[in-house]
Amino acid sequence: MVRLTVDLIAKSRHHFKKKRGLSLPDYLKTLTHLHFFSKNIEDIGDLSMCRNLTVLYLYDNQLTHIHNLGFASNLTHLYMQNNNITHIDNLSNLQNLSKLYLGGNRIAVVEGLEKLCELKELHLENQRLAPGEKLLLDPRTLLSLAESLCVLNISNNNIDEIRDLTVLKELQHFSAFDNKLHNMQELEDVFSHWPQLLQMDLIGNPVCKKPKYRDRLITACKTLLVLDGREINELTRQFLINWKASKEAKKKKNRHLTTGPISPHPYINDFYMGQAPLPGHTYSHADVQKWNPQQSLWAQKLKIPLCGRLGHVDA
């Protein structure tokens, strides 16, 4: 088993260039970057002597757990994509972490990030999940990242709804291509809560085949510059926004016109609306006299006699 330790660092020609009079412990204190990608590493040992570490490259290895990084309080970038990690844990001490790369692992639930208040980028694409399983994001974790997260990549993870992501109001770049998003109204609602959104990629989702898909998202995301790899023309955006406003105003006007008062003549209402008189209603001579057969073309065409249709009402 290959384990990342200070001894492995000492044996690495890329890292340990021993200066005259500088011991290994002193040298380890000066390290800010560690490059150990594609080394078949399965475990992380004690690296606490690397107290000034800021960037750690561990992608394309065989890691199954995240541990022994509690010492790295100065760490800002952590690259652990394409390993065999199943859970996100033991990161609570990395309070200066700004970029976390965990794509291509076996993570089913995104959690354990509540203490990472400086996290700006979270990359979770292409998790190798069991058949029928989808990536889940803990609402508590999302809420804790609401004030900091700017970049989120959750592509190719069988995700079919994103309503819980509404809280990420600082999001600027969102990638969710090759998922199962299908609800257009849900997307419009969520994206309308992201006032900083600049770039988004949803290619490969069923929702992309919906009528007016692109137009509707452009009007919902008024700051969006790039959608599915295509830039948004500002003139096009303004036209769509004006068109939507005009359409909504027209609908509102039509609703107002169709909510007028009901006709005071019960018989005319019956003929026009195709409805029988209300049960228990007794009509008088006054009601009959108010009804004018000339006002109902439908009654004239059927040649319905007044007395035969309504019967005689005794005073």
Side-chain angles (χ1 to χ4, degrees):
M1 180 178 72
V2 181
R3 196 175 193 216
L4 179 57
T5 62
V6 292
D7 291 335
L8 189 64
I9 296 173
K11 294 175 183 178
S12 171
R13 294 180 181 180
H14 178 80
H15 289 94
F16 188 39
K17 299 175 182 178
K18 187 174 181 180
K19 297 179 181 180
R20 183 179 300 178
L22 191 63
S23 65
L24 176 60
D26 290 336
Y27 172 75
L28 293 174
K29 293 176 184 177
T30 67
L31 277 179
T32 57
H33 292 60
L34 276 182
H35 300 263
F36 279 93
F37 50 88
S38 302
K39 300 293 184 182
N40 291 318
I41 294 174
E42 299 176 54
D43 191 33
I44 303 172
D46 183 4
L47 302 177
S48 58
M49 297 179 72
C50 306
R51 63 180 67 174
N52 291 308
L53 196 63
T54 58
V55 181
L56 179 57
Y57 296 95
L58 287 174
Y59 58 86
D60 294 340
N61 282 298
Q62 302 297 322
L63 293 166
T64 57
H65 295 88
I66 305 173
H67 61 173
N68 285 336
L69 294 179
F71 72 93
S73 58
N74 295 313
L75 198 68
T76 59
H77 295 57
L78 179 57
Y79 298 83
M80 302 188 78
Q81 61 268 42
N82 300 326
N83 280 279
N84 292 311
I85 297 168
T86 57
H87 294 88
I88 304 176
D89 46 18
N90 301 316
L91 294 178
S92 58
N93 287 341
L94 309 185
Q95 296 184 17
N96 286 307
L97 194 66
S98 63
K99 297 184 179 182
L100 178 58
Y101 293 81
L102 291 171
N105 281 284
R106 300 180 182 276
I107 299 166
V109 180
V110 180
E111 57 187 351
L113 304 176
E114 289 78 11
K115 300 294 184 180
L116 305 187
C117 299
E118 298 298 321
L119 194 65
K120 297 186 180 302
E121 295 190 22
L122 180 57
H123 300 263
L124 298 160
E125 71 283 358
N126 304 320
Q127 297 301 317
R128 288 170 284 155
L129 304 172
E133 197 171 25
K134 65 180 179 180
L135 183 68
L136 301 175
L137 292 92
D138 187 342
R140 293 170 298 180
T141 287
L142 294 173
L143 189 59
S144 68
L145 300 177
E147 301 292 335
S148 64
L149 200 65
C150 299
V151 178
L152 177 62
N153 188 346
I154 53 173
S155 300
N156 192 26
N157 284 311
N158 298 322
I159 294 172
D160 56 7
E161 63 91 17
I162 57 169
R163 192 166 297 280
D164 288 343
L165 302 184
T166 303
V167 297
L168 301 177
K169 59 184 180 180
E170 297 298 320
L171 215 57
Q172 297 178 13
H173 296 254
F174 179 60
S175 295
F177 58 81
D178 291 340
N179 278 297
K180 296 181 179 180
L181 299 173
H182 61 278
N183 190 326
M184 189 73 214
Q185 187 61 56
E186 179 192 74
L187 297 188
E188 288 180 293
D189 291 344
V190 172
F191 299 155
S192 66
H193 286 82
W194 294 351
Q196 312 295 332
L197 192 64
L198 301 175
Q199 185 171 336
M200 178 164 57
D201 190 350
L202 299 176
I203 290 176
N205 284 276
V207 73
C208 296
K209 299 179 181 179
K210 299 278 188 178
K212 302 290 185 182
Y213 153 78
R214 186 174 176 86
D215 293 352
R216 290 177 65 176
L217 290 191
I218 290 174
T219 55
C221 313
K222 295 180 174 57
T223 58
L224 197 62
L225 299 178
V226 180
L227 175 59
D228 297 341
R230 292 169 53 195
E231 291 187 6
I232 298 171
N233 182 281
E234 190 57 36
L235 290 176
T236 301
R237 185 205 312 277
Q238 197 57 51
F239 169 79
L240 291 172
I241 291 174
N242 292 340
W243 173 80
K244 182 180 179 182
S246 175
K247 187 177 179 181
E248 290 177 349
K250 189 175 181 180
K251 284 183 178 179
K252 185 177 180 180
K253 182 179 179 181
N254 289 340
R255 284 196 301 267
H256 177 74
L257 292 175
T258 57
T259 56
I262 300 175
S263 171
H265 305 299
Y267 293 114
I268 294 175
N269 285 336
D270 293 343
F271 282 121
Y272 284 164
M273 304 304 294
Q275 296 176 349
L278 296 176
H281 186 89
T282 301
Y283 294 106
S284 65
H285 281 301
D287 290 328
V288 176
Q289 290 171 358
K290 287 179 183 178
W291 177 67
N292 184 359
Q294 298 300 323
Q295 293 179 349
S296 176
L297 294 178
W298 181 82
Q300 291 178 27
K301 288 180 181 180
L302 293 182
K303 299 180 179 178
I304 301 175
L306 175 59
C307 59
R309 174 68 176 89
L310 303 174
H312 182 72
V313 180
D314 293 325

